[in-house]
PDB file of all heavy atoms in Angstrom:
ATOM      1  N   THR M 235     183.403  88.961  85.953  1.00 83.00           N
ATOM      2  CA  THR M 235     184.089  88.019  85.068  1.00 83.00           C
ATOM      3  C   THR M 235     183.515  88.051  83.658  1.00 83.00           C
ATOM      4  O   THR M 235     184.159  87.594  82.710  1.00 83.00           O
ATOM      5  CB  THR M 235     183.988  86.577  85.600  1.00 83.00           C
ATOM      6  OG1 THR M 235     182.618  86.251  85.829  1.00 83.00           O
ATOM      7  CG2 THR M 235     184.775  86.412  86.878  1.00 83.00           C
ATOM      8  N   VAL M 236     182.291  88.598  83.510  1.00 78.00           N
ATOM      9  CA  VAL M 236     181.708  88.718  82.168  1.00 78.00           C
ATOM     10  C   VAL M 236     182.401  89.814  81.367  1.00 78.00           C
ATOM     11  O   VAL M 236     182.190  89.934  80.164  1.00 78.00           O
ATOM     12  CB  VAL M 236     180.188  89.004  82.232  1.00 78.00           C
ATOM     13  CG1 VAL M 236     179.464  87.863  82.911  1.00 78.00           C
ATOM     14  CG2 VAL M 236     179.899  90.321  82.940  1.00 78.00           C
ATOM     15  N   VAL M 237     183.229  90.635  82.049  1.00 76.00           N
ATOM     16  CA  VAL M 237     184.012  91.675  81.376  1.00 76.00           C
ATOM     17  C   VAL M 237     185.486  91.332  81.566  1.00 76.00           C
ATOM     18  O   VAL M 237     186.096  91.760  82.539  1.00 76.00           O
ATOM     19  CB  VAL M 237     183.724  93.078  81.953  1.00 76.00           C
ATOM     20  CG1 VAL M 237     184.405  94.154  81.113  1.00 76.00           C
ATOM     21  CG2 VAL M 237     182.237  93.333  82.035  1.00 76.00           C
ATOM     22  N   PRO M 238     186.073  90.515  80.690  1.00 71.00           N
ATOM     23  CA  PRO M 238     187.455  90.073  80.869  1.00 71.00           C
ATOM     24  C   PRO M 238     188.428  91.235  80.999  1.00 71.00           C
ATOM     25  O   PRO M 238     188.285  92.257  80.334  1.00 71.00           O
ATOM     26  CB  PRO M 238     187.733  89.265  79.586  1.00 71.00           C
ATOM     27  CG  PRO M 238     186.391  88.880  79.079  1.00 71.00           C
ATOM     28  CD  PRO M 238     185.472  90.006  79.455  1.00 71.00           C
ATOM     29  N   TYR M 239     189.441  91.060  81.883  1.00 70.00           N
ATOM     30  CA  TYR M 239     190.524  92.015  82.107  1.00 70.00           C
ATOM     31  C   TYR M 239     190.032  93.314  82.748  1.00 70.00           C
ATOM     32  O   TYR M 239     190.469  93.671  83.828  1.00 70.00           O
ATOM     33  CB  TYR M 239     191.289  92.299  80.805  1.00 70.00           C
ATOM     34  CG  TYR M 239     191.910  91.055  80.230  1.00 70.00           C
ATOM     35  CD1 TYR M 239     191.329  90.396  79.152  1.00 70.00           C
ATOM     36  CD2 TYR M 239     193.042  90.498  80.797  1.00 70.00           C
ATOM     37  CE1 TYR M 239     191.874  89.227  78.651  1.00 70.00           C
ATOM     38  CE2 TYR M 239     193.603  89.338  80.302  1.00 70.00           C
ATOM     39  CZ  TYR M 239     193.016  88.705  79.233  1.00 70.00           C
ATOM     40  OH  TYR M 239     193.562  87.546  78.741  1.00 70.00           O
ATOM     41  N   TRP M 240     189.127  94.034  82.072  1.00 73.00           N
ATOM     42  CA  TRP M 240     188.631  95.287  82.629  1.00 73.00           C
ATOM     43  C   TRP M 240     187.882  95.036  83.929  1.00 73.00           C
ATOM     44  O   TRP M 240     187.998  95.830  84.877  1.00 73.00           O
ATOM     45  CB  TRP M 240     187.720  96.001  81.633  1.00 73.00           C
ATOM     46  CG  TRP M 240     188.419  96.507  80.410  1.00 73.00           C
ATOM     47  CD1 TRP M 240     188.219  96.107  79.122  1.00 73.00           C
ATOM     48  CD2 TRP M 240     189.448  97.518  80.353  1.00 73.00           C
ATOM     49  NE1 TRP M 240     189.057  96.795  78.256  1.00 73.00           N
ATOM     50  CE2 TRP M 240     189.817  97.662  78.987  1.00 73.00           C
ATOM     51  CE3 TRP M 240     190.079  98.287  81.311  1.00 73.00           C
ATOM     52  CZ2 TRP M 240     190.800  98.553  78.575  1.00 73.00           C
ATOM     53  CZ3 TRP M 240     191.055  99.187  80.904  1.00 73.00           C
ATOM     54  CH2 TRP M 240     191.405  99.308  79.552  1.00 73.00           C
ATOM     55  N   GLY M 241     187.098  93.957  83.976  1.00 76.00           N
ATOM     56  CA  GLY M 241     186.331  93.655  85.175  1.00 76.00           C
ATOM     57  C   GLY M 241     187.222  93.410  86.379  1.00 76.00           C
ATOM     58  O   GLY M 241     186.997  93.959  87.465  1.00 76.00           O
ATOM     59  N   GLY M 242     188.259  92.596  86.194  1.00 81.00           N
ATOM     60  CA  GLY M 242     189.201  92.331  87.280  1.00 81.00           C
ATOM     61  C   GLY M 242     189.967  93.569  87.691  1.00 81.00           C
ATOM     62  O   GLY M 242     190.227  93.794  88.881  1.00 81.00           O
ATOM     63  N   PHE M 243     190.336  94.395  86.722  1.00 82.00           N
ATOM     64  CA  PHE M 243     191.065  95.634  87.003  1.00 82.00           C
ATOM     65  C   PHE M 243     190.219  96.571  87.861  1.00 82.00           C
ATOM     66  O   PHE M 243     190.700  97.131  88.854  1.00 82.00           O
ATOM     67  CB  PHE M 243     191.444  96.311  85.681  1.00 82.00           C
ATOM     68  CG  PHE M 243     192.134  97.638  85.844  1.00 82.00           C
ATOM     69  CD1 PHE M 243     193.468  97.693  86.223  1.00 82.00           C
ATOM     70  CD2 PHE M 243     191.444  98.817  85.637  1.00 82.00           C
ATOM     71  CE1 PHE M 243     194.111  98.919  86.390  1.00 82.00           C
ATOM     72  CE2 PHE M 243     192.067 100.045  85.792  1.00 82.00           C
ATOM     73  CZ  PHE M 243     193.408 100.098  86.171  1.00 82.00           C
ATOM     74  N   ILE M 244     188.943  96.727  87.500  1.00 80.00           N
ATOM     75  CA  ILE M 244     188.038  97.596  88.260  1.00 80.00           C
ATOM     76  C   ILE M 244     187.860  97.068  89.682  1.00 80.00           C
ATOM     77  O   ILE M 244     187.904  97.829  90.663  1.00 80.00           O
ATOM     78  CB  ILE M 244     186.677  97.704  87.549  1.00 80.00           C
ATOM     79  CG1 ILE M 244     186.838  98.462  86.218  1.00 80.00           C
ATOM     80  CG2 ILE M 244     185.654  98.393  88.432  1.00 80.00           C
ATOM     81  CD1 ILE M 244     185.605  98.430  85.347  1.00 80.00           C
ATOM     82  N   THR M 245     187.670  95.762  89.821  1.00 85.00           N
ATOM     83  CA  THR M 245     187.490  95.158  91.145  1.00 85.00           C
ATOM     84  C   THR M 245     188.691  95.412  92.039  1.00 85.00           C
ATOM     85  O   THR M 245     188.547  95.775  93.219  1.00 85.00           O
ATOM     86  CB  THR M 245     187.262  93.646  91.013  1.00 85.00           C
ATOM     87  OG1 THR M 245     186.099  93.406  90.206  1.00 85.00           O
ATOM     88  CG2 THR M 245     187.064  92.998  92.379  1.00 85.00           C
ATOM     89  N   ASN M 246     189.894  95.243  91.501  1.00 87.00           N
ATOM     90  CA  ASN M 246     191.113  95.423  92.290  1.00 87.00           C
ATOM     91  C   ASN M 246     191.329  96.881  92.690  1.00 87.00           C
ATOM     92  O   ASN M 246     191.755  97.168  93.818  1.00 87.00           O
ATOM     93  CB  ASN M 246     192.319  94.896  91.512  1.00 87.00           C
ATOM     94  CG  ASN M 246     192.340  93.388  91.441  1.00 87.00           C
ATOM     95  OD1 ASN M 246     192.056  92.711  92.420  1.00 87.00           O
ATOM     96  ND2 ASN M 246     192.670  92.839  90.283  1.00 87.00           N
TER      97      ASN M 246
END
Side-chain angles (χ1 to χ4, degrees):
T235 54
V236 298
V237 188
Y239 300 102
W240 293 116
F243 177 76
I244 293 171
T245 301
N246 288 318

